[in-house]
Protein backbone atom coordinates (compact mmCIF):
# COMPACT_ATOMS: atom_id res chain seq x y z
CA UNK A 1 0.00 0.00 0.00
CA UNK A 2 2.84 2.34 0.91
CA UNK A 3 4.53 1.59 -2.44
CA UNK A 4 1.32 2.43 -4.32
CA UNK A 5 1.03 5.70 -2.40
CA UNK A 6 4.59 6.65 -3.31
CA UNK A 7 3.95 5.87 -6.98
CA UNK A 8 0.77 7.97 -6.96
CA UNK A 9 2.61 10.85 -5.32
CA UNK A 10 5.38 10.74 -7.94
CA UNK A 11 2.83 10.64 -10.78
CA UNK A 12 0.96 13.61 -9.33
CA UNK A 13 4.22 15.52 -8.88
CA UNK A 14 5.26 14.85 -12.47
CA UNK A 15 1.87 15.89 -13.83
CA UNK A 16 2.01 19.18 -11.94
CA UNK A 17 5.60 20.00 -12.89
CA UNK A 18 4.81 19.22 -16.54
CA UNK A 19 2.54 22.27 -16.53
CA UNK A 20 4.67 24.45 -14.25
CA UNK A 21 7.42 25.10 -16.79
CA UNK A 22 10.42 27.14 -15.78
CA UNK A 23 10.10 30.69 -17.07
CA UNK A 24 12.95 31.25 -19.51
CA UNK A 25 12.57 34.94 -20.31
CA UNK A 26 11.98 38.24 -18.58
CA UNK A 27 9.35 40.55 -20.04
CA UNK A 28 9.59 44.33 -20.02
CA UNK A 29 7.79 44.73 -16.70
CA UNK A 30 10.30 42.36 -15.07
CA UNK A 31 13.21 44.42 -16.38
CA UNK A 32 11.51 47.64 -15.27
CA UNK A 33 11.26 46.19 -11.75
CA UNK A 34 14.93 45.11 -11.85
CA UNK A 35 15.87 48.69 -12.77
CA UNK A 36 13.80 49.94 -9.83
CA UNK A 37 11.49 51.86 -12.21
CA UNK A 38 14.26 54.36 -12.90
CA UNK A 39 12.81 55.58 -16.24
CA UNK A 40 9.59 56.54 -14.43
CA UNK A 41 11.06 58.35 -11.43
CA UNK A 42 9.80 61.89 -10.96
CA UNK A 43 7.22 61.53 -13.73
CA UNK A 44 3.45 61.38 -13.72
CA UNK A 45 2.60 58.09 -15.38
CA UNK A 46 -0.34 56.99 -17.54
CA UNK A 47 -0.61 53.24 -18.19
CA UNK A 48 -2.23 51.53 -21.19
CA UNK A 49 -2.81 47.91 -20.26
CA UNK A 50 -5.28 45.05 -19.82
CA UNK A 51 -5.27 41.70 -17.96
CA UNK A 52 -2.33 40.44 -20.07
CA UNK A 53 -0.08 43.07 -18.46
CA UNK A 54 1.42 40.98 -15.65
CA UNK A 55 4.85 40.12 -14.30
CA UNK A 56 6.28 36.61 -14.08
CA UNK A 57 4.41 36.04 -10.81
CA UNK A 58 1.09 37.03 -12.42
CA UNK A 59 0.83 40.39 -10.64
CA UNK A 60 -0.88 43.10 -12.64
CA UNK A 61 1.29 45.92 -13.98
CA UNK A 62 -1.42 48.27 -12.66
CA UNK A 63 -0.87 47.06 -9.11
CA UNK A 64 2.92 46.94 -9.46
CA UNK A 65 3.18 50.56 -10.61
CA UNK A 66 0.54 51.84 -8.19
CA UNK A 67 2.42 50.29 -5.24
CA UNK A 68 5.96 51.24 -6.33
CA UNK A 69 7.17 53.97 -3.90
CA UNK A 70 9.02 55.95 -6.58
CA UNK A 71 6.27 55.80 -9.26
CA UNK A 72 3.34 58.19 -9.50
CA UNK A 73 0.65 56.36 -11.47
CA UNK A 74 -2.05 58.94 -12.16
CA UNK A 75 -4.17 57.46 -14.96
CA UNK A 76 -5.11 54.23 -16.69
CA UNK A 77 -6.14 53.93 -20.34
CA UNK A 78 -8.56 51.19 -21.35
CA UNK A 79 -8.30 49.50 -24.76
CA UNK A 80 -10.84 47.00 -26.13
CA UNK A 81 -12.09 44.71 -23.29
CA UNK A 82 -11.04 47.22 -20.60
CA UNK A 83 -8.04 47.38 -18.24
CA UNK A 84 -9.41 44.59 -16.06
CA UNK A 85 -10.93 42.60 -18.94
CA UNK A 86 -14.54 43.25 -17.99
CA UNK A 87 -15.84 44.40 -21.40
CA UNK A 88 -16.92 42.06 -24.21
CA UNK A 89 -15.34 42.09 -27.69
CA UNK A 90 -16.48 45.13 -29.66
CA UNK A 91 -18.36 46.70 -26.72
CA UNK A 92 -17.62 50.34 -25.97
CA UNK A 93 -15.55 50.84 -22.85
CA UNK A 94 -16.58 53.63 -20.45
CA UNK A 95 -14.57 56.08 -18.37
CA UNK A 96 -14.56 54.69 -14.83
CA UNK A 97 -12.52 54.60 -11.65
CA UNK A 98 -10.45 51.48 -11.08
CA UNK A 99 -12.05 49.93 -7.97
CA UNK A 100 -8.81 48.43 -6.65
CA UNK A 101 -6.52 51.44 -6.90
CA UNK A 102 -8.96 54.36 -7.15
CA UNK A 103 -7.09 55.60 -10.24
CA UNK A 104 -9.19 57.14 -13.06
CA UNK A 105 -9.60 54.97 -16.16
CA UNK A 106 -9.96 56.74 -19.51
CA UNK A 107 -11.54 54.80 -22.34
CA UNK A 108 -9.71 54.67 -25.67
CA UNK A 109 -12.20 52.17 -27.05
CA UNK A 110 -15.38 54.22 -26.94
CA UNK A 111 -16.10 57.76 -28.11
CA UNK A 112 -12.42 58.10 -28.94
CA UNK A 113 -9.71 55.58 -29.77
CA UNK A 114 -6.87 57.99 -29.23
CA UNK A 115 -6.00 59.68 -25.91
CA UNK A 116 -7.24 63.28 -25.97
CA UNK A 117 -5.24 66.30 -24.78
CA UNK A 118 -7.61 66.56 -21.82
CA UNK A 119 -6.82 62.95 -20.81
CA UNK A 120 -3.09 63.63 -21.13
CA UNK A 121 -2.85 67.08 -19.50
CA UNK A 122 -1.45 65.81 -16.17
CA UNK A 123 0.78 63.06 -17.63
CA UNK A 124 4.51 63.11 -18.41
CA UNK A 125 4.89 59.59 -19.77
CA UNK A 126 2.60 56.95 -21.28
CA UNK A 127 3.50 53.31 -20.60
CA UNK A 128 2.18 50.47 -22.80
CA UNK A 129 2.04 46.88 -21.50
CA UNK A 130 -0.23 44.53 -23.47
CA UNK A 131 0.38 41.04 -24.85
CA UNK A 132 -0.04 41.13 -28.64
CA UNK A 133 -0.81 38.20 -30.98
CA UNK A 134 1.31 39.19 -33.98
CA UNK A 135 -1.52 39.85 -36.46
CA UNK A 136 -2.37 43.26 -37.94
CA UNK A 137 -6.15 43.07 -37.44
CA UNK A 138 -5.93 42.57 -33.67
CA UNK A 139 -6.74 46.02 -32.29
CA UNK A 140 -4.13 46.44 -29.55
CA UNK A 141 -1.36 47.47 -31.93
CA UNK A 142 -3.70 50.09 -33.38
CA UNK A 143 -4.23 51.37 -29.84
CA UNK A 144 -0.47 51.47 -29.31
CA UNK A 145 0.25 53.37 -32.53
CA UNK A 146 -2.49 55.94 -32.04
CA UNK A 147 -1.38 56.48 -28.43
CA UNK A 148 2.18 57.04 -29.67
CA UNK A 149 0.81 59.65 -32.04
CA UNK A 150 -1.08 61.36 -29.21
CA UNK A 151 2.06 61.28 -27.06
CA UNK A 152 4.03 63.00 -29.81
CA UNK A 153 1.37 65.68 -30.32
CA UNK A 154 1.27 66.41 -26.58
CA UNK A 155 5.04 66.24 -25.98
CA UNK A 156 4.77 63.15 -23.78
CA UNK A 157 7.30 60.33 -23.60
CA UNK A 158 6.11 56.85 -24.67
CA UNK A 159 7.50 53.65 -23.11
CA UNK A 160 6.76 50.11 -24.30
CA UNK A 161 7.25 47.23 -21.87
CA UNK A 162 8.07 44.56 -24.41
CA UNK A 163 6.50 41.10 -24.64
CA UNK A 164 6.91 38.06 -26.95
CA UNK A 165 5.23 37.75 -30.30
CA UNK A 166 3.40 34.40 -29.94
CA UNK A 167 3.89 33.77 -33.68
CA UNK A 168 7.63 34.16 -33.21
CA UNK A 169 9.75 36.78 -34.92
CA UNK A 170 10.39 35.10 -38.28
CA UNK A 171 7.00 34.70 -39.95
CA UNK A 172 5.83 37.53 -42.24
CA UNK A 173 2.78 37.17 -44.50
CA UNK A 174 0.23 39.31 -46.32
CA UNK A 175 0.08 42.51 -48.31
CA UNK A 176 0.26 46.03 -46.96
CA UNK A 177 -2.79 48.23 -46.36
CA UNK A 178 -4.12 50.51 -49.11
CA UNK A 179 -4.78 54.10 -48.06
CA UNK A 180 -8.56 53.87 -48.44
CA UNK A 181 -8.71 50.78 -46.22
CA UNK A 182 -6.85 52.19 -43.22
CA UNK A 183 -9.03 51.36 -40.21
CA UNK A 184 -8.76 50.30 -36.59
CA UNK A 185 -8.34 46.68 -37.79
CA UNK A 186 -5.63 47.72 -40.28
CA UNK A 187 -4.27 50.97 -38.89
CA UNK A 188 -0.78 50.84 -40.37
CA UNK A 189 0.89 49.80 -43.63
CA UNK A 190 2.38 46.58 -42.35
CA UNK A 191 1.82 42.95 -43.46
CA UNK A 192 -1.04 40.91 -42.01
CA UNK A 193 1.51 38.82 -40.07
CA UNK A 194 4.41 41.15 -39.30
CA UNK A 195 6.98 39.17 -37.26
CA UNK A 196 7.85 41.83 -34.67
CA UNK A 197 7.38 42.26 -30.93
CA UNK A 198 5.25 45.23 -29.91
CA UNK A 199 8.44 47.07 -28.95
CA UNK A 200 10.03 46.45 -32.34
CA UNK A 201 6.82 47.44 -34.08
CA UNK A 202 6.73 50.70 -32.11
CA UNK A 203 10.29 51.43 -33.26
CA UNK A 204 9.30 50.72 -36.87
CA UNK A 205 6.17 52.90 -36.74
CA UNK A 206 8.25 55.72 -35.29
CA UNK A 207 11.34 55.21 -37.43
CA UNK A 208 9.54 54.75 -40.76
CA UNK A 209 7.34 57.79 -40.05
CA UNK A 210 4.07 55.82 -40.18
CA UNK A 211 2.69 58.22 -37.57
CA UNK A 212 1.74 61.85 -38.17
CA UNK A 213 4.51 62.85 -35.79
CA UNK A 214 7.40 60.93 -34.23
CA UNK A 215 7.30 60.49 -30.47
CA UNK A 216 10.01 60.30 -27.84
CA UNK A 217 10.12 56.49 -27.61
CA UNK A 218 11.80 54.12 -25.18
CA UNK A 219 11.55 50.31 -25.24
CA UNK A 220 12.15 48.28 -22.09
CA UNK A 221 13.55 45.16 -23.74
CA UNK A 222 12.97 41.56 -22.70
CA UNK A 223 15.81 39.29 -21.67
CA UNK A 224 16.13 35.79 -23.06
CA UNK A 225 13.60 35.96 -25.90
CA UNK A 226 14.67 34.61 -29.31
CA UNK A 227 12.89 35.14 -32.63
CA UNK A 228 12.44 31.40 -33.21
CA UNK A 229 10.69 30.87 -29.85
CA UNK A 230 7.13 29.66 -29.63
CA UNK A 231 5.16 31.14 -26.75
CA UNK A 232 5.23 27.81 -24.93
CA UNK A 233 9.03 27.84 -25.04
CA UNK A 234 9.13 31.07 -23.03
CA UNK A 235 7.63 29.30 -20.01
CA UNK A 236 5.28 32.26 -19.47
CA UNK A 237 1.68 31.76 -18.48
CA UNK A 238 -0.87 32.78 -21.11
CA UNK A 239 -3.67 35.16 -20.23
CA UNK A 240 -6.49 35.33 -22.82
CA UNK A 241 -5.91 38.50 -24.83
CA UNK A 242 -9.58 38.35 -25.85
CA UNK A 243 -12.39 35.84 -25.18
CA UNK A 244 -11.57 33.92 -28.37
CA UNK A 245 -7.80 33.81 -27.82
CA UNK A 246 -7.87 31.55 -24.74
CA UNK A 247 -4.52 29.84 -25.39
CA UNK A 248 -1.28 30.59 -27.30
CA UNK A 249 -2.38 28.13 -30.01
CA UNK A 250 -5.42 30.35 -30.64
CA UNK A 251 -3.09 33.24 -31.47
CA UNK A 252 -1.23 31.01 -33.94
CA UNK A 253 -4.47 30.07 -35.68
CA UNK A 254 -6.02 33.55 -35.70
CA UNK A 255 -4.44 34.44 -39.09
CA UNK A 256 -5.43 31.01 -40.50
CA UNK A 257 -9.14 31.83 -40.63
CA UNK A 258 -9.72 35.33 -39.24
CA UNK A 259 -10.18 37.09 -42.58
CA UNK A 260 -12.77 34.61 -43.87
CA UNK A 261 -14.38 34.65 -40.43
CA UNK A 262 -15.31 38.32 -40.88
CA UNK A 263 -17.95 37.28 -43.42
CA UNK A 264 -19.91 35.03 -41.02
CA UNK A 265 -20.19 32.66 -43.97
CA UNK A 266 -19.14 29.48 -42.17
CA UNK A 267 -17.97 28.47 -38.73
CA UNK A 268 -14.27 28.96 -38.05
CA UNK A 269 -14.53 27.50 -34.55
CA UNK A 270 -15.55 30.70 -32.75
CA UNK A 271 -18.47 29.42 -30.69
CA UNK A 272 -16.91 25.96 -30.46
CA UNK A 273 -13.92 24.66 -28.49
CA UNK A 274 -11.24 25.32 -31.11
CA UNK A 275 -11.52 28.97 -32.20
CA UNK A 276 -9.88 29.77 -35.56
CA UNK A 277 -8.70 26.16 -36.05
CA UNK A 278 -11.43 24.89 -38.38
CA UNK A 279 -13.89 25.54 -41.21
CA UNK A 280 -17.38 24.00 -41.26
CA UNK A 281 -20.93 24.40 -42.62
CA UNK A 282 -24.13 22.35 -42.88
CA UNK A 283 -23.70 21.70 -46.61
CA UNK A 284 -20.06 20.48 -46.48
CA UNK A 285 -19.05 16.82 -46.70
CA UNK A 286 -16.13 16.52 -44.29
CA UNK A 287 -14.31 13.71 -46.09
CA UNK A 288 -14.55 15.39 -49.50
CA UNK A 289 -13.27 18.72 -48.23
CA UNK A 290 -10.42 17.12 -46.26
CA UNK A 291 -9.37 15.11 -49.33
CA UNK A 292 -9.38 18.19 -51.56
CA UNK A 293 -7.42 20.27 -49.06
CA UNK A 294 -4.82 17.56 -48.42
CA UNK A 295 -4.29 17.08 -52.17
CA UNK A 296 -2.96 20.64 -52.26
CA UNK A 297 0.03 19.47 -50.19
CA UNK A 298 0.29 22.78 -48.35
CA UNK A 299 3.67 22.75 -46.55
CA UNK A 300 3.44 21.80 -42.88
CA UNK A 301 -0.37 21.50 -42.86
CA UNK A 302 -2.84 18.58 -42.57
CA UNK A 303 -6.64 18.70 -42.72
CA UNK A 304 -8.76 16.31 -40.67
CA UNK A 305 -12.49 15.65 -41.30
CA UNK A 306 -14.58 17.23 -38.57
CA UNK A 307 -18.18 17.03 -37.31
CA UNK A 308 -19.33 19.63 -34.77
CA UNK A 309 -22.34 21.42 -33.28
CA UNK A 310 -21.36 24.98 -32.27
CA UNK A 311 -22.54 26.28 -28.90
CA UNK A 312 -22.97 29.86 -30.19
CA UNK A 313 -22.13 32.16 -33.12
CA UNK A 314 -22.20 30.86 -36.71
CA UNK A 315 -24.05 27.55 -36.99
CA UNK A 316 -25.23 27.56 -33.38
CA UNK A 317 -26.95 24.26 -32.52
CA UNK A 318 -26.62 22.94 -36.07
CA UNK A 319 -24.77 19.80 -37.13
CA UNK A 320 -21.85 21.00 -39.24
CA UNK A 321 -19.15 19.23 -41.20
CA UNK A 322 -15.77 20.50 -42.29
CA UNK A 323 -12.08 20.27 -41.53
CA UNK A 324 -9.81 20.94 -38.60
CA UNK A 325 -6.46 22.46 -39.54
CA UNK A 326 -3.42 20.79 -37.99
CA UNK A 327 -0.03 22.50 -38.12
CA UNK A 328 2.49 19.68 -38.51
CA UNK A 329 5.56 21.85 -39.21
CA UNK A 330 5.22 25.44 -38.04
CA UNK A 331 8.35 26.72 -39.77
CA UNK A 332 7.12 25.54 -43.18
CA UNK A 333 3.46 26.50 -42.73
CA UNK A 334 2.08 29.65 -44.33
CA UNK A 335 -0.79 30.53 -42.06
CA UNK A 336 -2.80 33.26 -43.74
CA UNK A 337 -3.12 31.60 -47.15
CA UNK A 338 -4.95 28.56 -45.76
CA UNK A 339 -8.32 30.36 -45.71
CA UNK A 340 -7.95 31.39 -49.35
CA UNK A 341 -7.16 27.83 -50.45
CA UNK A 342 -10.17 26.69 -48.44
CA UNK A 343 -12.36 29.23 -50.27
CA UNK A 344 -10.93 27.95 -53.56
CA UNK A 345 -11.70 24.31 -52.83
CA UNK A 346 -15.19 25.12 -51.56
CA UNK A 347 -15.95 26.71 -54.94
CA UNK A 348 -14.68 23.59 -56.73
CA UNK A 349 -16.70 21.17 -54.61
CA UNK A 350 -19.82 23.33 -54.27
CA UNK A 351 -19.96 25.85 -57.16
CA UNK A 352 -23.29 27.21 -55.94
CA UNK A 353 -21.71 27.98 -52.55
CA UNK A 354 -18.78 30.12 -53.76
CA UNK A 355 -17.98 32.51 -50.94
CA UNK A 356 -18.63 35.91 -52.47
CA UNK A 357 -21.79 34.76 -54.23
CA UNK A 358 -23.29 33.76 -50.88
CA UNK A 359 -21.74 35.78 -48.07
CA UNK A 360 -23.50 38.82 -46.64
CA UNK A 361 -22.36 41.75 -48.78
CA UNK A 362 -22.77 44.06 -45.78
CA UNK A 363 -19.67 42.31 -44.39
CA UNK A 364 -17.55 42.91 -47.51
CA UNK A 365 -16.24 46.24 -46.21
CA UNK A 366 -14.92 44.60 -43.04
CA UNK A 367 -13.37 41.77 -45.09
CA UNK A 368 -11.59 44.38 -47.22
CA UNK A 369 -10.37 46.33 -44.20
CA UNK A 370 -8.95 43.24 -42.54
CA UNK A 371 -7.40 42.13 -45.85
CA UNK A 372 -6.00 45.61 -46.30
CA UNK A 373 -7.49 46.07 -49.78
CA UNK A 374 -10.52 45.26 -51.92
CA UNK A 375 -8.15 43.77 -54.51
CA UNK A 376 -8.21 40.46 -52.65
CA UNK A 377 -12.00 40.14 -52.73
CA UNK A 378 -12.63 41.56 -56.20
CA UNK A 379 -9.87 39.56 -57.89
CA UNK A 380 -10.49 36.31 -56.03
CA UNK A 381 -14.23 36.46 -56.76
CA UNK A 382 -13.65 36.30 -60.52
CA UNK A 383 -12.45 32.69 -60.57
CA UNK A 384 -12.13 31.63 -56.90
CA UNK A 385 -8.44 30.85 -57.36
CA UNK A 386 -5.75 31.75 -54.84
CA UNK A 387 -3.10 31.97 -57.57
CA UNK A 388 -4.87 35.11 -58.82
CA UNK A 389 -4.07 36.99 -55.60
CA UNK A 390 -0.94 35.13 -54.47
CA UNK A 391 1.57 37.61 -55.91
CA UNK A 392 -0.34 40.51 -54.38
CA UNK A 393 -0.46 38.76 -50.99
CA UNK A 394 3.28 38.16 -50.85
CA UNK A 395 4.89 40.90 -52.97
CA UNK A 396 5.66 43.17 -49.99
CA UNK A 397 6.92 40.44 -47.67
CA UNK A 398 10.63 40.55 -48.57
CA UNK A 399 10.83 44.36 -48.73
CA UNK A 400 9.13 44.57 -45.33
CA UNK A 401 11.50 42.00 -43.84
CA UNK A 402 14.43 44.07 -45.06
CA UNK A 403 12.99 47.24 -43.57
CA UNK A 404 11.91 45.68 -40.28
CA UNK A 405 15.33 44.11 -39.60
CA UNK A 406 16.61 47.61 -38.83
CA UNK A 407 14.40 47.57 -35.75
CA UNK A 408 15.13 44.07 -34.42
CA UNK A 409 15.92 44.05 -30.72
CA UNK A 410 16.41 40.27 -30.51
CA UNK A 411 18.27 37.60 -32.46
Amino acid sequence: MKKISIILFVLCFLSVTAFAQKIKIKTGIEILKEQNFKVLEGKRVGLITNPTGVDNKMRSTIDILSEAPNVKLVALFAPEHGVRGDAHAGDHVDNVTDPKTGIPVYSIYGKTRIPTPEMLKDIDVLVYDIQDIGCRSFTYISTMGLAMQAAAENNIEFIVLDRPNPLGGLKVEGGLVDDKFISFVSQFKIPYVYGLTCGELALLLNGEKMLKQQCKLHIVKMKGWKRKMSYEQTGLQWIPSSPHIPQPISAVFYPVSGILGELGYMSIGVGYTIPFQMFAAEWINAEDLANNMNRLNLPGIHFRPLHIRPFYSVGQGQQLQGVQVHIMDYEKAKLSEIQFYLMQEIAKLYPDKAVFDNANDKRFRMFDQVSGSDFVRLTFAKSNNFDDIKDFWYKEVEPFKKTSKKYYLYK
Side-chain angles (χ1 to χ4, degrees), residues 28-63:
I29 182 61
E30 286 292 328
I31 303 305
L32 186 70
K33 284 161 51 183
E34 280 187 1
Q35 297 170 350
N36 198 29
F37 311 99
K38 188 174 181 181
V39 294
L40 301 181
E41 274 189 334
K43 301 170 184 175
R44 296 165 298 178
V45 178
L47 173 63
I48 305 167
T49 194
N50 70 0
T52 67
V54 295
D55 68 3
N56 285 7
K57 293 182 179 178
M58 303 290 284
R59 291 192 67 228
S60 169
T61 301
I62 299 172
D63 303 330

Side-chain angles (χ1 to χ4, degrees), residues 58-79:
M58 303 290 284
R59 291 192 67 228
S60 169
T61 301
I62 299 172
D63 303 330
I64 292 167
L65 295 188
S66 68
E67 294 170 12
N70 58 339
V71 174
K72 189 174 183 180
L73 182 62
V74 298
L76 302 173
F77 292 83

